[in-house]
Amino acid sequence: QVQLVESGGGVVQPGRSLRLSCAASGFTFSSYAMHWVRQAPGKGLEWVAIISYDGSNQFYADSVKGRFTISRDNSKNTLFLQTSSVRPEDTALYYCARDPVPATYCSYMDVWGKGTTVTVSS
Amino acid sequence: EIVLTQSPATLSLSPGERATLSCRASQSVSRYLAWYQQKAGQAPRLLIYDASNRATGIPARFSGSGSGTDFTLTISSLEPEDFAVYYCQQRSTWPPLFTFGPGTKVDIK
């Protein structure tokens, strides 16, 4: 079945870096754009970034632009989010999600992982 | 940046009642509007895409309508498992940037 499993979360000090991973299975990962979406404790959903199916294009929310980098390894069916210069407000549950139509950017996300938690604290 | 506003923030209803949730965009998003359901401790689940299309496996009691700036999610008769938080989400034409509304919590009256 189609599945996304995030990992790599943890406690990180302000200003440091952390790399999140999302392992995909059950579909042709290299055909689909992928997203990162986060949710601060007790808050709503915030879109973070999208990467095209082939990794050639990336787009970011203003809140993370210049600090976070989305990337992918299609040979390993894995999505990444490199977070740097993290701030306390980056504390959240980070979800990866699939853009549902191959080889394009759609307007919604159809498959979600269960998330990995990032806590920024000294 | 397109801002989404959802109302009400909380909707208190009884099982069997009809729920009507609103999502308003600060500028037109055409029909690029999706709805998600999120239960406590779970990932969001796609309910409706492109304003009115039900996602795979979503019961017929869920329906979406609207275009431009005003959208509605309707649950025709609430089941116990429908009490949750509902988010709307849009995508800008180009670049492809996405935003979520703040959510509407549907709780048991």
Side-chain angles (χ1 to χ4, degrees), chain B residues 10-27:
Chain B
T10 303
L11 194 53
S12 297
L13 295 169
S14 301
E17 289 193 294
R18 182 183 188 91
T20 303
L21 287 66
S22 174
C23 178
R24 178 164 290 178
S26 59
Q27 57 185 277

Side-chain angles (χ1 to χ4, degrees), chain B:
Chain B
E1 176 189 339
I2 297 176
V3 176
L4 297 178
T5 304
Q6 291 187 242
S7 61
T10 303
L11 194 53
S12 297
L13 295 169
S14 301
E17 289 193 294
R18 182 183 188 91
T20 303
L21 287 66
S22 174
C23 178
R24 178 164 290 178
S26 59
Q27 57 185 277
S28 177
V29 299
S30 184
R31 292 182 61 81
Y32 293 149
L33 197 286
W35 291 93
Y36 300 84
Q37 176 193 67
Q38 188 179 35
K39 298 178 183 178
Q42 296 186 18
R45 177 174 72 144
L46 176 68
L47 297 176
I48 301 287
Y49 65 94
D50 293 346
S52 61
N53 296 293
R54 267 191 307 277
T56 303
I58 301 303
R61 65 181 181 272
F62 291 92
S63 63
S65 64
S67 65
T69 60
D70 290 294
F71 299 86
T72 300
L73 174 70
T74 301
I75 311 170
S76 59
S77 179
L78 282 163
E79 297 288 339
E81 62 268 26
D82 299 337
F83 292 92
V85 180
Y86 293 83
Y87 295 95
C88 58
Q89 170 256 308
Q90 67 85 30
R91 176 209 140 171
S92 60
T93 304
W94 193 264
L97 305 177
F98 298 73
T99 55
F100 288 89
T104 290
K105 183 178 182 180
V106 179
D107 65 15
I108 300 177
K109 188 173 181 181

Side-chain angles (χ1 to χ4, degrees), chain A residues 18-102:
Chain A
L18 196 66
R19 188 174 84 157
L20 309 182
S21 301
C22 169
S25 59
F27 65 102
T28 305
F29 177 73
S30 59
S31 295
Y32 294 84
M34 296 292 296
H35 300 260
W36 286 100
V37 176
R38 68 184 181 182
Q39 187 168 34
K43 303 298 184 182
L45 301 169
E46 180 188 16
W47 176 78
V48 173
I50 186 173
I51 187 168
S52 60
Y53 69 100
D54 60 358
S56 61
N57 291 289
Q58 309 86 31
F59 300 94
Y60 299 91
D62 286 345
S63 59
V64 306
K65 195 180 299 182
R67 300 187 301 120
F68 289 11
T69 302
I70 188 172
S71 63
R72 65 192 298 160
D73 184 340
N74 284 344
S75 68
K76 296 182 178 178
N77 293 340
T78 304
L79 175 73
F80 301 102
L81 184 69
Q82 179 70 49
T83 71
S84 62
S85 303
V86 297
R87 306 164 180 168
E89 56 264 36
D90 295 320
T91 294
L93 180 61
Y94 284 73
Y95 295 102
C96 64
R98 189 180 76 169
D99 202 84
V101 177

